[in-house]
Amino acid sequence: MSKKDSECAGIILAYLNEKNRPYSVQDVFGNLQKQHGLGKTAVMKAMEHLAQEGKIKEKVYGKQKIYFADQSQFPDVGESELRDLDSRITELGAQVQSVSQSCRQMDAELKELTSSLTTAEMMSQIQELKAECEGYRERLLKIKSASNHITPEEREKVCKQRSLHVKEWKKRKRLATDMMDAILEGYPKSKKQFLEEVGVETDEDHKVTVPNI
């Protein structure tokens, strides 16, 4: 084995002993490649060599091989120690959950703060609203001080006159239409020609319609 291969094997052996959990070749390559620049082929050869020498253990599951540290090098763990470890794991798990929840809350607060207006933006918006309110106030004062207000009685009178005129307009238009239809029954030419000859201008000619009452 070359010096480079020996260094690669040493790095992998130390890693597996430190982590003390099963890994595939791909796992070890992915975890160590960035830090140590190991190639996948070199990792595979080194792990196979370490397994052949008995420095690590190898298990085959279908088409995949799993490697892990030789457990004989570690001291035996009693039931009491296992219970302590389980208790510690549960405690740390609760701490992780609590910290994760705090992080989510802080993230939510941060998003809320970043989406809020800054003090300068708020001051600018307040000034804009004040100017807008002042404009409405001046407009209201002008309306109140105006001398040409229409009283409710005057408004009602105007509405009644308008309604009367519209009704008369409709009545006269209906009469004119009936008369013209009667004449056109014996008229040899078209309606358009008749209107041109007698010089009648219709509402449509002036693009106006009878309004609703």
Side-chain angles (χ1 to χ4, degrees), residues 168-186 191 194-195 198 200-204 210:
E168 189 64 25
W169 183 355
K170 289 183 176 181
K171 179 181 177 182
R172 294 188 180 188
K173 182 171 183 177
R174 184 171 59 253
L175 290 172
T177 301
D178 292 343
M179 291 173 60
M180 186 166 53
D181 289 341
I183 294 172
L184 288 173
E185 287 182 3
K191 179 180 178 179
F194 171 73
L195 293 175
V198 298
V200 175
E201 294 181 350
T202 64
D203 293 337
E204 290 73 15
V210 180

Side-chain angles (χ1 to χ4, degrees), residues 71-87:
Q71 299 301 300
S72 63
Q73 63 183 309
F74 301 112
D76 293 334
V77 180
E79 291 295 327
S80 177
E81 291 178 279
L82 286 175
R83 285 194 295 270
D84 290 342
L85 287 173
D86 288 339
S87 177

Side-chain angles (χ1 to χ4, degrees), residues 4 6 9-10 16 19 31 33 40 44 50 62 66 81 83 109 118 123 127 129 134 137 139 149 191 202-203 205:
K4 186 175 181 180
S6 297
L16 291 178
K19 301 300 181 183
N31 295 339
Q33 189 271 337
K40 187 174 181 179
M44 181 175 63
L50 289 170
I66 299 297
E81 291 178 279
R83 285 194 295 270
E109 291 176 3
T118 63
M123 294 300 295
Q127 293 301 320
L129 291 172
E134 185 62 29
R137 189 178 292 109
R139 185 177 175 185
H149 290 303
K191 179 180 178 179
T202 64
D203 293 337
D205 292 333

